[in-house]
Every structure is written in C-alpha cells, then in structure tokens.
Amino acid sequence: MDVNAAVAAAAAIAGVLTGVIAMLAFRWSERDQKRPTRTSLHTDAVLPPGVDTVLSVLRSSAVVLDEGDAVVKASSAAYALGLVRGGKLAIEPMLQMARDTRRDGEIRQVELDLPRRGTGRGEALAVSARVAPLGSRLVLLLVEDLTEARRIEAVRRDFVANVSHELKTPVGALSLLSEAVMDASDDPEAVQRFAGRMQIEATRLTNLVQELIDLSRVQNDDPLEDAEPIRVDELVTEAVDRCRHQAGAKQITMAAGGAADLHVWGNRGQLAAALGNLVENAVNYSPARTRVGIAARRVGATGGDMIELAVTDQGIGISDKDKERIFERFYRVDPARSRATGGTGLGLAIVKHVAASHGGEVTVWSAEGQGSTFTLRLPEAGAARDRAQQHPALDDEDRPAAHSSPGSSGSGASPVSPPDSTAYETLPAPEVLP
C-alpha cells in the first residue's frame, strides 16, 4: 500500500514538472519570436516616420546608413551615380564622413571628384556630399551632382576671359594709334596712314561688339516667337550680296543653285545672319580665283522634311582636331588669317545656336588642302505647319508662332517668282558629303 502511494506521488510530481517545463518552453519561444532579428534591423521600418517620403522627392541622391555602415535606404539616383554597390556605400571618403558624423553628431560637407562609371576616359564627376545624423542610430548622406554646373561655370569663365582679350586688342591698338597721330601732327602722310589703321581697328571692334550682341540674342531669345515662312532663295541672295565685295576683291566666283521653291520656317534675321556667316567664312578662307558654292535641297527626315543649305569652298580645309572645336566661341583655325580678315571666332558659334534654336543642326565636312562644306539643316516651312495641324487641341495662346496655319497672314502659301538668277552662276545641288 505504501509502495503504491509513493509511485502515485512520484508520477504526480513528474506530471507537474513536465507541465511547468512545457509552459516555460512556450513562453521562451514566444519571446524569442518577438525579439528583432539582425535582418529586421535593415528594413524600411527603422526609418523615422515620413523620412522615406521626403527622401523620394529630393533631387539629391540620398543614402541612409545604420550603425554598421549598411545601407538602409538609397534612392535610384544614388545607384545611378555608383554610390551604392552590393548594399554598401562604395565611396570611401563619404563612408569615413558618415562614421565621423555618427561618432560626434556634427554635420559635414565636402566636394569630391568621382570617376564616371561606364567610360574608359578619365572624366570626373563633380559632386557635393553632405552628411547629417538621422535619429540616434542612422546617418543621412545627400549627394548633389555639380558636373553640369561646373561645366557651365567653366564656359562662362572662358567666355569672359576671351572677351576681355579680344576687346583689349583693338582698344589698345586705337590708343597707340591715337598717340601716333598726335606725335605726327606735322606729317600729313603719317596722319593719313595712322587714321586708316584706326579705321580698321574701329571696324574690328564694332564687328566684335555686334557679334557679341548677336550671340547673346540668339542664346536668350526664342526665334520661333517671330517665325515666318522664308524663301530659301531670298536667304541665299542676301548672303551672296553680303560677301560680294570681299569675293570680288579676291576674284572668287559665287555660285548658287537648287534654292527655288524651297521655304524654311524661322526668324528671318537670325537665319540670314547664320547663312551669311557661313558664306563669309568660305570667302575669307578661300584662295584667290577659286569658287564658293551655295546649294539647297529638300531631304526626308523623321517628323517632316528638312532643307539642307550647303556652303562649299576650295580653301585651306580643316584638320580633324580643329573640326571638333570650330563651333566653340572665339576658336579660330588660323589666328593669323583671322587677324588679317578681322574675324572674331564667334561666327560659327552663332550659326550653331541659330540652327539648334530652329530645330536643326549644322555639320561640317573638310579635308586639309581640299576645302570644306558646311551644311545647315532646317525644318521645311510646310512640315512645321503640318505638325501644328496635328495638334489642334492647343489654344492659340499656347501654340508657338512657328505653328500658325497655312492660311494665316504671311504664310507664304502663294508662290512668288524667284529673284533674278543672273546675279550669280547656277549650280545643281551637290551631293552631301559625309
């Protein structure tokens, strides 16, 4: 009897212990499930409320780092710039800034030059990085791309330096020549000679100022606000007349053709200046007793036909290294010849801006000793009107002036007889050179 009672008591105690152990194991498992894992620390849930939304609308590249330097959040721009790779911040100076800020809580900012991804060239990407603490554990990194701003600033700085140099040359010459005139007041021949030189320098200064004004105008004004259909043969005639005196002095034959019944759409003054600059360059850089040709033709293109105006000369030609820079402001292939002809190095820059603002382009083919061909491509007037008709929902005040309907005033729909073709020789439209 006593043995049975002891066995029963032991069984009861064992059952109680089993229940207690099971209950403790359940509680332990439940608490372990609620404990945050290492993986959960790297989810968006650790970000303070609203931070994710703010980062998504920032223009800067944004990266959020935790206490282990792991990336918690990164914008798509940060990946595009190559800041984040494999879940880690790939730029060591920025990573060191983040660690220093995490340690002392101070906001830091630095400008860096980073290698550009995907290019074999040594081009640098200029960025500004700013690091600040975000809460108690996180660090926020904001990176701004300054590459384009740096480029624009460099262009502006070079432009100012070049303008200063170009202006000082004729102004200094005028100052010296005026002193020479004063010293030679009793020598009429010397006075006349110095006065002639003063006229040349004054003309050069006037041309430079005028081209600076023209360049500023084509960069800042919208040419399509005052756009109209323009006969190509009228532009060609104006360009030829502009250079007729210089061509006659060098016995250069001016030849044109293919421009009849072609129209372009744009600002008459700007287009005339652009084509005139091309013809003037051709005359200035051509030897005596050669030929300058101006040819026009219609070519098909996506979105509407284009008009090509090709200006060909038999001049000195342009080297491959110079062809990459001839459309830069103040760049001149032959500075000595430019001084002799009064060139400023702004003519082709004006042509490039006029072509771009009219929805076209300017290209060049040239070989040293074989001459050059500059081709100005512009949208045809009819194609521009057709594109406007395809968008009738636009209000009149929202539609650019270049998109007026064919029946509007001054549309040039009625044919006009071309100018007298005997003013210059006629050439067929040449094959467009590569």
Side-chain angles (χ1 to χ4, degrees):
M1 186 68 179
D2 292 336
V3 175
N4 293 334
V7 172
I13 293 174
V16 171
L17 290 176
T18 301
V20 171
I21 292 173
M23 183 178 65
L24 291 176
F26 177 76
R27 291 292 180 85
W28 182 269
S29 176
E30 187 179 36
R31 186 177 65 176
D32 188 63
Q33 290 179 356
K34 293 182 177 179
R35 181 183 302 167
T37 63
R38 183 176 183 83
T39 304
S40 67
L41 291 176
H42 298 285
T43 62
D44 292 343
V46 300
L47 290 176
V51 172
D52 193 10
T53 303
V54 173
L55 295 181
S56 65
V57 298
L58 288 177
R59 297 181 59 183
S60 304
S61 303
V63 180
V64 179
L65 304 175
D66 65 7
E67 68 275 10
D69 292 334
V71 176
V72 177
K73 177 73 177 179
S75 64
S76 58
Y79 286 99
L81 289 178
L83 304 180
V84 179
R85 300 174 190 170
K88 294 289 186 179
L89 185 63
I91 310 301
E92 184 60 32
M94 297 181 185
L95 188 59
Q96 187 59 47
M97 287 174 56
R99 292 168 179 168
D100 295 341
T101 296
R102 187 185 300 111
R103 184 181 65 252
D104 54 26
E106 292 186 5
I107 298 176
R108 289 175 168 81
Q109 183 169 354
V110 67
E111 292 188 2
L112 302 171
D113 291 332
L114 308 179
R116 191 184 296 271
R117 297 183 64 189
T119 61
R121 296 170 294 179
E123 297 179 351
L125 193 68
V127 299
S128 174
R130 185 178 179 86
V131 181
L134 184 63
S136 59
R137 298 187 300 108
L138 306 180
V139 173
L140 173 63
L141 170 67
L142 296 177
V143 180
E144 188 78 21
D145 187 357
L146 303 178
T147 307
E148 184 65 14
R150 289 264 189 95
R151 187 192 66 81
I152 294 175
E153 181 59 30
V155 170
R156 183 181 296 111
R157 185 170 55 250
D158 292 343
F159 180 71
V160 172
N162 287 328
V163 168
S164 301
H165 173 74
E166 295 293 337
L167 287 174
K168 281 166 51 177
T169 301
V171 169
L174 287 172
S175 177
L176 292 175
L177 289 170
S178 64
E179 292 180 4
V181 169
M182 293 178 63
D183 294 339
S185 57
D186 56 347
D187 186 350
E189 293 184 1
V191 169
Q192 186 175 6
R193 184 173 66 255
F194 291 141
R197 291 290 307 277
M198 291 178 68
Q199 280 189 327
I200 294 175
E201 295 299 333
T203 301
R204 178 174 299 176
L205 182 60
T206 301
N207 293 338
L208 175 59
V209 172
Q210 184 59 49
E211 290 199 342
L212 287 172
I213 294 173
D214 293 340
L215 181 61
S216 176
R217 182 178 294 117
V218 299
Q219 286 181 314
N220 298 326
D221 295 348
D222 182 5
L224 300 184
E225 289 183 356
D226 300 320
E228 59 178 330
I230 306 167
R231 292 179 60 92
V232 173
D233 51 10
E234 293 178 359
L235 293 177
V236 172
T237 301
E238 186 172 343
V240 170
D241 289 341
R242 171 178 171 177
C243 305
R244 190 177 299 280
H245 176 72
Q246 297 96 309
K250 300 173 66 174
Q251 300 180 14
I252 292 177
T253 302
M254 304 288 287
D261 300 326
L262 296 180
H263 298 76
V264 292
W265 194 282
N267 183 288
R268 178 181 293 272
Q270 291 190 15
L271 293 179
L275 184 59
N277 285 343
L278 293 180
V279 176
E280 186 175 10
N281 275 359
V283 171
N284 289 336
Y285 285 89
S286 293
R289 293 178 295 277
T290 56
R291 171 177 294 197
V292 171
I294 308 102
R297 70 172 186 174
R298 179 188 295 107
V299 295
T302 303
D305 291 344
M306 304 286 287
I307 301 299
E308 284 189 351
L309 291 163
V311 179
T312 304
D313 63 59
Q314 298 172 317
I316 60 176
I318 306 170
S319 65
D320 291 337
K321 66 180 183 66
D322 287 325
K323 280 190 288 188
E324 298 178 357
R325 301 190 58 191
I326 56 175
F327 293 104
E328 295 180 11
R329 303 164 184 166
F330 295 107
Y331 186 79
R332 285 169 288 195
V333 175
D334 187 352
R337 183 182 293 267
S338 295
R339 284 193 296 269
T341 59
T344 62
L346 290 174
L348 291 180
I350 293 175
V351 175
K352 178 182 178 180
H353 282 288
V354 169
S357 63
H358 282 76
E361 63 176 349
V362 58
T363 58
V364 59
W365 175 92
S366 184
E368 292 186 269
Q370 300 182 31
S372 306
T373 296
F374 286 83
T375 303
L376 181 62
R377 288 168 54 93
L378 299 168
E380 188 179 20
R385 292 198 300 267
D386 292 341
R387 285 195 292 268
Q389 290 177 335
Q390 294 173 4
H391 301 83
L394 292 175
D395 295 333
D396 290 339
E397 60 184 6
D398 294 331
R399 181 180 291 116
H403 292 167
S404 59
S405 62
S408 60
S409 176
S411 65
S414 58
V416 180
S417 58
D420 184 10
S421 58
T422 60
Y424 41 79
E425 291 185 61
T426 300
L427 286 180
E431 180 181 359
V432 178
L433 299 175

